Amino acid sequence: MVQGYWRLDDWQMTPQQRLSFLKSHIDLGITTVDHADIYGDYRCETLFGQAVKLDPSVRKSIQVVSKCDIKLVSEAAPNRKINHYDTSYHHILESVDHSLKRLGVEKLDVLLLHRPDALMDADEVAEAFTTLRYHGKVAHFGVSNFTPSQFDLLQSRWDESLVTNQVEINPLRFDVIHDGTLDQLQRLQVKPMAWSCLAGGELLTGESQQAVRVRETLSAIGEELGGASIDQVIYAWVMRHPSKPLPIIGSGNIERVKAAKQAYDLKLTREQWYRIWVASKGHNVP
């Protein structure tokens, strides 16, 4: 599993509390941390870096993932008129330098392109990756929210394997299971990272017919599995796919992180997995 920090600014933690939380999930064996330059309106990486600065030794225990290419309208960019994407050579290099400074680290373990850019020049991106690798600023590269053809295009220009495609996977929205995305990653033996596994909380509190159907099914299966919580069943459902997704946990509550990790012990049958599929679709399999 991966600990996500996109809501770090909302957790209202002191730097010491952030460090304690980081050490607690490291102790659980969750050592990969997921960031992006834009999270918290460009603030979350800085907040994380403040915690690492209190005990720089923790850097040896974690794998740091960050993303770039989204440009947000923000107080940090007062002249920007619209949100847009930028995978140009200079922007990628500039974004990484800013992330390294904010995080207080010398190297990213993984850099992901955050969203597909209609103007992406794959050769230019590969040149940026080569420069970053040469200067020791990034160890590995991947993408996020890419279609199989977009993934193939960038991979055709990059001489090392892209290490992941971070995509949305949850029982309400799982198009990547059927559109070839996870088929491709399984073929390449590349594990996807799964974001929004709880559908932004909609699976727990949503009132749509779909959300209610799925929640009732998740609850019933949880009882069959010995009293597992709904979120534990969701994580188990995501991890049951043979592409071996790595769920990203978004909670800043260490007890919920502990509970999420227990999903590894849940073994959904194929029928249980498909009951959740049917509840989401609202119809039986063809």
Side-chain angles (χ1 to χ4, degrees):
M1 289 183 165
V2 176
Q3 180 60 49
Y5 277 89
W6 68 88
R7 293 194 182 104
L8 179 57
D9 192 36
D10 299 330
W11 295 348
Q12 299 297 305
M13 293 180 177
T14 65
Q16 185 59 54
Q17 288 171 328
R18 289 173 228 146
L19 177 62
S20 296
F21 177 76
L22 172 60
K23 288 183 174 181
S24 293
H25 71 69
I26 290 173
D27 289 342
L28 293 172
I30 300 173
T31 59
T32 300
V33 296
D34 181 68
H35 292 275
D37 56 351
I38 63 168
Y39 287 163
D41 196 18
Y42 300 92
R43 291 188 293 269
C44 287
E45 288 182 324
T46 297
L47 296 175
F48 185 86
Q50 290 170 354
V52 172
K53 187 176 180 180
L54 295 177
D55 184 358
S57 68
V58 298
R59 177 64 182 96
K60 299 176 182 178
S61 302
I62 57 175
Q63 300 81 47
V64 179
V65 179
S66 196
K67 312 177 202 68
C68 72
D69 91 15
I70 300 177
K71 285 185 168 180
L72 291 182
V73 174
S74 165
E75 292 181 1
N79 295 323
R80 195 169 293 158
K81 295 179 174 60
I82 59 167
N83 297 341
H84 61 284
Y85 307 135
D86 187 346
T87 54
S88 66
Y89 176 89
H90 292 293
H91 179 67
I92 292 173
L93 266 59
E94 181 181 55
S95 294
V96 169
D97 283 341
H98 288 164
S99 288
L100 294 175
K101 182 178 180 179
R102 289 190 290 253
L103 290 163
V105 300
E106 295 182 355
K107 173 187 281 190
L108 296 178
D109 294 287
V110 181
L111 173 70
L112 307 181
L113 297 185
H114 204 158
R115 290 278 179 177
D117 172 16
L119 300 179
M120 182 184 78
D121 181 327
D123 291 308
E124 188 174 1
V125 172
E127 183 183 2
F129 286 0
T130 299
T131 299
L132 291 168
R133 182 179 58 180
Y134 175 80
H135 290 289
K137 294 181 179 181
V138 180
H140 303 285
F141 300 89
V143 296
S144 181
N145 304 299
F146 271 44
T147 66
S149 62
Q150 292 162 343
F151 188 101
D152 281 342
L153 170 60
L154 184 55
Q155 185 64 84
S156 73
R157 301 300 203 276
W158 179 235
D159 58 3
E160 294 184 4
S161 295
L162 297 171
V163 297
T164 194
N165 189 359
Q166 186 178 127
V167 292
E168 183 176 16
I169 310 175
N170 61 63
L172 296 183
R173 291 178 282 276
F174 49 88
D175 291 346
V176 293
I177 291 178
H178 301 299
D179 68 7
T181 299
L182 298 193
D183 296 339
Q184 176 197 49
L185 297 179
Q186 187 177 174
R187 175 174 59 81
L188 297 173
Q189 296 184 314
V190 172
K191 294 180 181 179
M193 296 172 68
W195 63 267
S196 197
C197 294
L198 305 184
E202 187 178 352
L203 281 163
L204 305 178
T205 59
E207 298 180 358
S208 69
Q209 291 184 357
Q210 182 193 29
V212 171
R213 285 196 313 266
V214 173
R215 185 161 59 245
E216 290 175 350
T217 302
L218 291 167
S219 181
I221 291 174
E223 290 302 313
E224 295 167 13
L225 295 172
S229 66
I230 288 175
D231 51 346
Q232 288 172 332
V233 178
I234 293 168
Y235 288 123
W237 186 86
V238 170
M239 292 189 290
R240 181 68 172 78
H241 193 272
S243 62
K244 301 180 180 178
L246 305 173
I248 304 173
I249 306 169
S251 177
N253 183 323
I254 196 61
E255 295 305 318
R256 291 196 64 183
V257 176
K258 289 178 182 177
K261 189 184 176 185
Q262 293 172 6
Y264 276 112
D265 299 325
L266 302 182
K267 306 299 179 185
L268 271 65
T269 66
R270 285 175 178 265
E271 182 174 357
Q272 287 171 328
W273 192 92
Y274 272 105
R275 281 165 58 192
I276 297 169
W277 187 100
V278 168
S280 181
K281 295 288 188 180
H283 59 74
N284 285 318
V285 298

